[in-house]
């Protein structure tokens, strides 16, 4: 069991599992099994006594994925308080690079798909899938300086923050401020209970935290704010020490079950029988904006950040290393898939093509990143060998 948990906490295996689940979802969606699986995913499950009545597909994207965002928030809390982003001096360089990795993909997307039916998809190519990016770095980056990993991790975390803000602000609908206020109150209670986990009340507090956490999720989901935001708020509210322990416990489950299941459901789309010229501009915009927009934005803004870094900060990265990090940033996947579902929720045809665009664009970025990271790793190993 220990070996399995170690494997699921590794950086390579979860990325492979995620890619495999998406491939299986896409394959089955275009097989004779499509109708049966679609019927199963569309089946509704209601919570008695509440307004929650979701399909299995939405229980995965709104319910299980909230646990993923909860774990993301626990990591954000650590990095912002005790990690690589706990000061302006540490955060300024990846923040500038992250800004480029958001602004340039948005500009490219709107340049290609700025029409009235597709412009709402502009947030889709702004995300970086940290699990995939670190997985590719671990597989192909042996010999790279640790600064590259730190830079990429900070960059991806800042991307996550922006993605969370987009989800909270852009995709809220029919807001019920009373339910939202009660949800925030439940989050505060959850945070207070987490500070009782070190004493005699540990077991009752843990049980109450589960109940209050589920209540907060239900209230936020019913308020009109996307349910994953409840996971973010709960993660940020936890006391630091139990937050670290909770992330350690949940990480294998997120990697082994929640993310692959979401990838399967999100990638369960029928490939349209259209010529390339008939595909939606949203598809082409995402395919271009993810790999090209990310690498250009991160590389150019990152290079500028290294030139203007304050005195006393860590040594700057070579431009080629920043270029490799930019290619890794183009692997959008998880959050981009969620944003595609939200941006085109009312147009199934464009939504499915946008999802295909995320898969194709992320795959192009993955291949490009593997090549660039391998080249840079080989160069650093040669330099280290020559110095020895």
């Amino acid at each position: 069991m220990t070996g399995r948990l170690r494997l699921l906490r590794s950086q390579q295996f979860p990325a492979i599992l995620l890619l495999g689940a998406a491939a299986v979802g896409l394959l089955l969606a275009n097989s004779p099994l499509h109708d049966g699986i679609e019927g199963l995913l569309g089946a509704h499950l209601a919570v008695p006594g509440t307004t929650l009545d979701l399909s299995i597909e939405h229980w995965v994207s709104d319910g299980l994925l909230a646990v993923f965002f909860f774990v993301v928030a626990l990591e954000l809390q650590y990095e912002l308080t005790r990690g690589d982003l706990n000061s302006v001096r540490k955060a300024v360089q990846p923040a500038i690079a992250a800004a480029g990795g958001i602004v340039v993909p948005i500009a490219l997307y709107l340049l290609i798909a700025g029409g009235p039916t597709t412009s709402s998809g502009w947030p889709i190519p702004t995300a970086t899938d940290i699990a995939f990016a670190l997985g590719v770095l671990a597989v192909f980056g042996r010999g790279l300086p640790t600064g590259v990993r730190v830079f990429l991790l900070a960059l991806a975390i800042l991307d996550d923050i922006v993605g969370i803000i987009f989800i909270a602000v852009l995709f809220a609908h029919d807001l019920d401020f009373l339910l939202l206020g009660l949800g925030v109150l439940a989050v505060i209670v959850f945070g207070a209970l987490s500070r009782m986990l070190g004493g005699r009340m540990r077991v009752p507090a843990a049980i109450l935290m589960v109940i209050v956490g589920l209540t907060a999720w239900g209230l936020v989901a019913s308020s009109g704010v996307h349910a994953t935001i409840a996971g973010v708020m709960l993660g940020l509210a936890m006391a630091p020490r139990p937050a670290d322990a909770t992330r350690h416990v949940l990480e294998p489950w997120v990697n082994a079950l929640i993310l692959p299941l979401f990838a399967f459901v999100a990638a369960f789309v029928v490939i349209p029988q259209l010529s390339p010229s008939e595909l939606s501009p949203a598809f082409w915009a995402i395919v271009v904006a993810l790999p090209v927009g990310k690498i250009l934005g991160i590389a150019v803004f990152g290079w500028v950040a290294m030139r203007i870094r304050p005195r006393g900060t860590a040594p700057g990265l070579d431009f080629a290393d920043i270029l490799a990090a930019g290619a890794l940033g183009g692997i959008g996947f998880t959050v981009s898939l969620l944003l595609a579902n939200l941006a085109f929720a009312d147009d199934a045809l464009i939504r499915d093509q946008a999802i295909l665009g995320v898969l194709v664009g992320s795959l192009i970025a993955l291949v490009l990143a593997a090549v660039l990271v391998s080249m840079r790793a080989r160069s650093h190993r040669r330099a280290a060998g020559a110095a020895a």
Side-chain angles (χ1 to χ4, degrees):
M1 178 63 76
T2 303
R4 292 177 184 174
L5 290 178
R6 190 181 300 115
L7 183 66
L8 290 172
R9 288 195 178 99
S10 69
Q11 292 171 359
Q12 301 97 324
F13 185 71
I16 295 170
L17 197 61
L18 201 58
L19 186 61
V24 171
L26 191 62
L27 180 66
L28 291 179
N30 294 275
S31 77
L33 297 174
H34 170 270
D35 292 345
I37 297 174
E38 185 179 47
L40 177 63
L41 294 178
H44 274 244
L45 295 174
V47 178
T50 72
T51 59
L52 292 172
D53 182 6
L54 304 176
S55 66
I56 291 177
E57 178 182 0
H58 281 99
W59 277 112
V60 171
S61 62
D62 294 6
L64 289 181
L65 203 62
V67 180
F68 162 69
F69 275 89
F70 175 68
V71 174
V72 167
L74 296 177
E75 185 169 5
L76 287 179
Q77 183 197 111
Y78 173 82
E79 296 297 339
L80 292 170
T81 57
R82 292 160 287 156
D84 296 319
L85 298 174
N86 68 342
S87 70
V88 173
R89 179 171 290 182
K90 289 182 180 179
V92 64
Q93 296 167 48
I96 293 172
I102 291 167
V103 171
V104 175
I106 289 174
L108 276 177
Y109 180 93
L110 291 175
L111 186 66
I112 298 170
T117 60
T118 54
S119 60
S120 61
W122 63 262
I124 297 170
T126 61
T128 295
D129 191 300
I130 191 168
F132 255 125
L134 291 178
V136 173
L137 189 65
V139 172
F140 298 100
R142 184 176 61 85
L144 280 175
T146 56
V148 177
R149 187 185 185 281
V150 170
F151 180 78
L152 175 65
L153 182 63
L155 185 78
I157 287 170
L158 290 165
D159 264 7
D160 281 340
I161 293 173
V162 174
I164 288 164
I165 293 171
F166 284 161
I167 293 168
V169 174
L170 299 177
F171 302 112
H173 58 87
D174 301 326
L175 280 178
D176 187 319
F177 288 100
L178 175 60
L179 290 178
L180 182 59
L182 292 172
V184 172
L185 181 61
V187 169
I188 294 171
V189 173
F190 180 88
L193 288 169
S194 73
R195 284 152 177 82
M196 301 169 60
L197 290 174
R200 296 179 181 178
M201 296 294 291
R202 180 174 55 189
V203 174
I207 295 171
L208 283 173
M209 282 179 67
V210 173
I211 296 171
V212 172
L214 290 172
T215 302
W217 174 84
L219 288 167
V220 172
S222 301
S223 73
V225 175
H226 196 267
T228 53
I229 299 302
V232 175
M233 292 193 295
L234 291 167
L236 293 177
M238 277 195 81
R241 185 171 295 179
D244 293 342
T246 302
R247 179 160 65 100
H248 184 75
V249 170
L250 289 179
E251 194 173 48
W253 293 98
V254 170
N255 290 340
L257 179 64
I258 292 174
L259 287 181
L261 191 55
F262 172 72
F264 174 86
V265 171
F268 190 79
V269 296
V270 177
I271 298 174
Q273 302 300 309
L274 301 171
S275 67
S277 62
E278 294 176 304
L279 288 168
S280 168
F283 170 84
W284 295 111
I286 296 166
V287 167
V288 172
L290 267 176
V292 178
K294 277 288 189 182
I295 195 170
L296 283 178
I298 291 171
V300 173
F301 279 60
W303 179 83
V304 170
M306 292 300 166
R307 303 282 74 76
I308 64 173
R309 70 185 188 278
R311 290 182 179 180
T313 55
L317 298 176
D318 293 338
F319 180 74
D321 290 333
I322 300 173
L323 201 66
L328 288 164
I331 307 173
F333 215 77
T334 306
V335 178
S336 287
L337 288 172
L338 178 61
L339 289 168
N341 273 291
L342 294 173
F344 298 114
D346 297 327
D347 192 325
L349 181 60
I350 297 180
R351 181 199 64 209
D352 287 355
Q353 293 189 42
I355 289 171
L356 288 174
V358 171
L359 296 176
V360 173
S362 294
L363 187 59
I364 293 171
L366 191 155
V367 172
L368 183 61
V371 172
L372 291 176
V373 168
S374 296
M375 292 171 60
R376 290 306 299 156
R378 191 159 47 247
S379 174
H380 282 287
R381 289 197 300 270
R382 279 200 304 264

